[in-house]
Amino acid sequence: MSTGFTEPAKSNPSGFFAEAKKHLGQNFLHEKGVIDKIVQAIDPKPGDAIVEIGPGQGALTFPLLRRHGEVTAIEFDRDLHAPLQAAAREHGTLRLIEGDVLGVDFSKLAAALGVEKIRLAGNLPYNLSSPILFHALDHAAAIRDMHFMLQKEVVERMAAGPGSKVYGRLSVMLQAYCTVTPLFVVPPGAFRPAPKVDSAVVRLVPKPLERIEVQDRAVFANVVRAAFGQRRKTLRNALNGVADGASIEAAGLRPDARAEQVEVAGFAKLANLLAPG
Ligand code: SAM
């Protein structure tokens, strides 16, 4: 009989609090071997401020708490907040930020946690992977490293180099600011419910400022977006209105080349030439 009140979420026999919500990209990890490998890859050290995106039902959070004692986690799903907090208590100190990760200013969070840089981790909601990656890039100076589970195909795009079919805007934007290292592939069966595709864990380490070649981030982003917006076109055509043939040549690039042949440094050079001042 319904009481008219919302029942608090309970653990079910599978150890999960509630049914997964597809629209929130909920695919909960349950494979211990995979979870252990992620924690080992992160390898938390005393004093590290570990920030997890999308703790869900704690698959990664609890092992991280047992290993490190303290974790800050950002979870959007309100139904998970109370059960997650309650279940976390026996493992360590969980600071739960209840809301959308895209609204969290990582630079302010680092300051609030009393560190120069946070360490981000998470099995990301796949429908939001790109926005989360770009959001993290905006705060890269406040991030020491990131360990993310993503669709394998996305990790391949992130790490691809020129000449690869999957080299594109995501590869160039991330590699301009971070070292991208794919770590290992995770099969669908490691999650409940199982996604349709393979996943992979990737490590991103933001480059120190002196190693970033881009002078003006907005101009760079604009050049890269235009160049790959029409990837079959030559640079001269794709960049029409953004850069003329002379600037493309001045950057050491061939106007008849296509974006997928241009190295990250080439885009940086061109954007630097176009940047004001
Ligand atoms: N870490 C858990 C695990 O490995 O089992 C859950 C991973 S699940 C793929 C993604 C998690 O991100 C879910 O808990 C989901 O509710 C949460 N999420 C979805 N959108 C979010 C957002 N905008 N901000 C914060 N968390 C979000």
Side-chain angles (χ1 to χ4, degrees):
M1 191 186 74
S2 168
T3 58
F5 294 103
T6 310
E7 295 287 335
K10 292 185 188 116
S11 293
N12 62 30
S14 66
F16 289 125
F17 308 140
E19 289 300 310
K21 293 176 184 150
K22 205 173 167 191
H23 71 285
L24 290 179
Q26 293 183 347
N27 295 95
F28 298 119
L29 256 175
H30 67 86
E31 187 85 34
K32 186 176 178 305
V34 172
I35 295 167
D36 288 348
K37 266 169 93 169
I38 298 174
V39 174
Q40 270 171 34
I42 299 170
D43 192 17
K45 291 283 187 301
D48 287 352
I50 308 285
V51 177
E52 187 191 358
I53 298 171
Q57 315 209 0
L60 271 175
T61 325
F62 301 157
L64 280 169
L65 282 173
R66 289 196 294 274
R67 165 90 184 252
H68 193 55
E70 271 185 27
V71 170
T72 301
I74 307 158
E75 174 57 61
F76 185 73
D77 185 355
R78 302 169 72 164
D79 293 341
L80 295 178
H81 294 158
L84 184 65
Q85 282 281 25
R89 252 168 238 139
E90 66 178 278
H91 305 284
T93 306
L94 174 65
R95 262 187 236 96
L96 189 59
I97 300 175
E98 304 180 350
D100 180 355
V101 62
L102 297 177
V104 175
D105 180 326
F106 294 129
S107 312
K108 285 193 181 145
L109 179 60
L113 293 173
V115 293
E116 199 188 326
K117 291 172 194 254
I118 55 173
R119 303 190 65 199
L120 276 181
N123 169 18
L124 297 187
Y126 292 170
N127 49 338
L128 278 188
S129 336
S130 289
I132 292 174
L133 290 169
F134 281 101
H135 180 58
L137 275 190
D138 286 343
H139 294 277
I143 299 171
R144 170 128 68 84
D145 59 14
M146 307 171 233
H147 290 85
F148 290 145
M149 173 94 75
L150 297 155
Q151 288 177 31
K152 183 177 147 223
E153 170 261 325
V154 174
V155 171
E156 284 167 355
R157 285 200 275 130
M158 291 162 71
S164 155
K165 263 198 204 139
V166 295
Y167 181 63
R169 176 173 170 242
L170 191 65
S171 334
V172 175
M173 290 303 294
L174 288 173
Q175 292 170 32
Y177 302 109
C178 300
T179 305
V180 181
T181 313
L183 297 180
F184 51 90
V185 173
V186 180
F191 305 86
R192 245 182 252 137
K196 291 201 175 70
V197 292
D198 275 338
S199 300
V201 175
V202 64
R203 175 182 292 137
L204 295 156
V205 182
K207 294 181 181 173
L209 225 50
E210 64 276 10
R211 277 193 48 221
I212 294 176
E213 291 164 280
V214 175
Q215 285 163 12
D216 184 314
R217 287 180 176 236
V219 173
F220 179 70
N222 198 28
V223 167
V224 176
R225 191 179 302 110
F228 285 104
Q230 310 180 56
R231 57 184 294 144
R232 297 237 181 80
K233 289 196 173 178
T234 61
L235 283 181
R236 186 197 321 260
N237 289 336
L239 291 174
N240 187 16
V242 176
D244 57 18
S247 322
I248 297 172
E249 278 180 7
L253 306 175
R254 288 194 1 241
D256 63 346
R258 297 208 203 120
E260 64 200 30
Q261 301 167 301
V262 177
E263 307 220 352
V264 176
F267 287 112
K269 240 187 220 163
L270 176 57
N272 291 347
L273 275 173
L274 300 171

